[in-house]
């Protein structure tokens, strides 16, 4: 009977060992499956992060390029506007200069004519008017009535 009990015990021990081995194999398979699942999820997450980072980097590059182009366009427009305004100012200054020169020439002619007329009037008044003198202009002698020799106020 002791040998039979030993055989039963040995048989039960074998069964338990077999069951333990099956449980161990099941547990290892589950752990391996879980490990593979975690690796897959980590790889997917890593790829997703890389894709998002690449997309964000490309978006930032596009925005920077667009901002740079916009800034260049604005600078070019401002430069062109400044050149146009400088050109307009130069033309306006030239027009004013031309007008001033013309006005000064006209004024100079008027002053010269008035001075010649006054000189002729004085000469006529003093009897120094020489009709043979080419500088003498009798038509200017009566320009200013206050200097006219026939005016009794003198």
């Amino acid at each position: 009977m002791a040998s039979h009990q030993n055989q039963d015990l040995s048989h039960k021990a074998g069964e338990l060992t077999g069951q333990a081995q099956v449980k161990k194999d099941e547990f290892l398979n589950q752990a391996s499956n879980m490990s593979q699942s975690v690796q897959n999820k980590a790889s997917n997450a890593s790829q997703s992060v890389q894709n998002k980072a690449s997309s964000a980097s490309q978006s930032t590059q596009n925005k920077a390029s667009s901002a740079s182009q916009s800034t260049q366009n604005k600078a070019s427009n401002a430069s062109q506007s400044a050149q146009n305004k400088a050109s307009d100012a130069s033309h306006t200054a030239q027009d004013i200069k031309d007008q001033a020169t013309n006005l000064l020439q006209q004024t100079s002619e008027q002053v010269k004519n008035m001075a010649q007329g006054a000189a002729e009037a004085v000469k006529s008044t003093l009897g120094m008017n020489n009709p043979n003198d080419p500088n003498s202009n009798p038509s200017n002698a009566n320009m200013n009535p206050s200097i006219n020799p026939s005016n009794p106020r003198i």
Side-chain angles (χ1 to χ4, degrees), residues 1-151:
M1 183 144 197
S3 103
H4 185 58
Q5 276 184 338
N6 280 341
Q7 281 182 349
D8 279 342
L9 282 175
S10 185
H11 179 68
K12 285 186 179 182
E15 282 182 16
L16 288 175
T17 302
Q19 289 175 355
Q21 183 67 38
V22 168
K23 292 284 184 183
K24 178 184 114 179
D25 290 344
E26 287 176 0
F27 179 74
L28 287 176
N29 283 338
Q30 286 178 350
S32 177
N33 289 342
M34 285 182 160
S35 173
Q36 187 62 41
S37 175
V38 168
Q39 286 177 351
N40 288 343
K41 288 181 180 178
S43 176
N44 289 342
S46 173
Q47 187 62 43
S48 176
V49 167
Q50 286 177 350
N51 289 344
K52 287 180 181 178
S54 176
S55 177
S57 174
Q58 187 62 42
S59 175
T60 301
Q61 287 176 350
N62 290 344
K63 287 178 183 177
S65 176
S66 177
S68 174
Q69 186 63 42
S70 176
T71 300
Q72 287 176 350
N73 289 343
K74 287 178 182 177
S76 177
N77 289 343
S79 175
Q80 186 62 43
S81 177
Q83 287 175 354
N84 290 344
K85 287 180 181 179
S87 177
D88 290 347
S90 175
H91 286 92
T92 300
Q94 185 63 42
D95 289 346
I96 291 171
K97 178 184 170 190
D98 292 345
Q99 290 173 2
T101 300
N102 190 27
L103 180 64
L104 287 173
Q105 287 174 346
Q106 289 175 356
T107 304
S108 173
E109 280 296 317
Q110 289 174 350
V111 168
K112 177 182 165 188
N113 289 337
M114 288 172 55
Q116 284 177 347
E120 291 300 319
V122 168
K123 285 180 184 179
S124 292
T125 301
L126 299 175
M128 298 173 57
N129 196 3
N130 184 358
N132 293 331
D133 185 3
N135 290 330
S136 174
N137 188 355
S139 64
N140 289 338
N142 294 328
M143 280 186 64
N144 191 341
S146 63
I147 307 177
N148 191 336
S150 61
N151 191 343

